[in-house]
Amino acid sequence: MFRVSYSDTAEGQRWSLHGRLAGPWVDELRSCWKYARDRAPLARAIVDLKQVTFIDQAGEKLLAEMRSAGAELIAAGVEHQHLLATLDNHKSPSARGTAPEGGNQ
């Protein structure tokens, strides 16, 4: 299951992702992202990953695209921090579970 909460704020576009960023949900998020960014390409984009529990390789690729387009990715926990560092280094880590801090995988 995957859920996206989106809002336009005075600070820009805010995206909160929840659940598994994998499979068909990656294309759905990409479509929503493209639509919102086409409407306001200069708006600041903040993407909160704190409630994401799993990211497959396609999801990682999309997050890398979002980041290279200027999105600020917010993460908590070791797995998320590692993913962001990996994206910064332009590497493609394998699919991994990313349990919220204090959670079990």
Side-chain angles (χ1 to χ4, degrees):
M1 179 138 203
F2 185 68
R3 179 175 55 126
V4 176
S5 298
Y6 170 82
S7 61
D8 282 313
T9 68
E11 296 176 351
Q13 299 173 336
R14 182 154 184 96
W15 303 76
S16 294
L17 311 183
H18 305 263
R20 298 173 57 87
L21 179 55
W25 301 118
V26 175
D27 289 334
E28 184 67 25
L29 177 58
R30 180 177 278 113
S31 176
C32 294
W33 171 260
K34 183 174 176 2
Y35 177 78
R37 298 307 291 166
D38 285 348
R39 285 183 43 233
L42 300 178
R44 181 177 177 207
I46 301 166
V47 181
D48 185 339
L49 304 170
K50 290 184 252 178
Q51 297 300 314
V52 172
T53 57
F54 179 82
I55 303 170
D56 70 5
Q57 286 183 325
E60 291 173 359
K61 182 180 177 196
L62 175 57
L63 292 175
E65 292 168 13
M66 294 166 101
R67 180 169 256 185
S68 70
E72 176 185 345
L73 305 180
I74 300 173
V78 174
E79 289 289 335
H80 289 306
Q81 295 296 331
H82 177 72
L83 172 62
L84 296 186
T86 303
L87 292 177
D88 287 341
N89 293 327
H90 305 290
K91 296 177 185 173
S92 179
S94 61
R96 73 176 112 273
T98 54
E101 204 156 315
N104 294 329
Q105 288 189 26

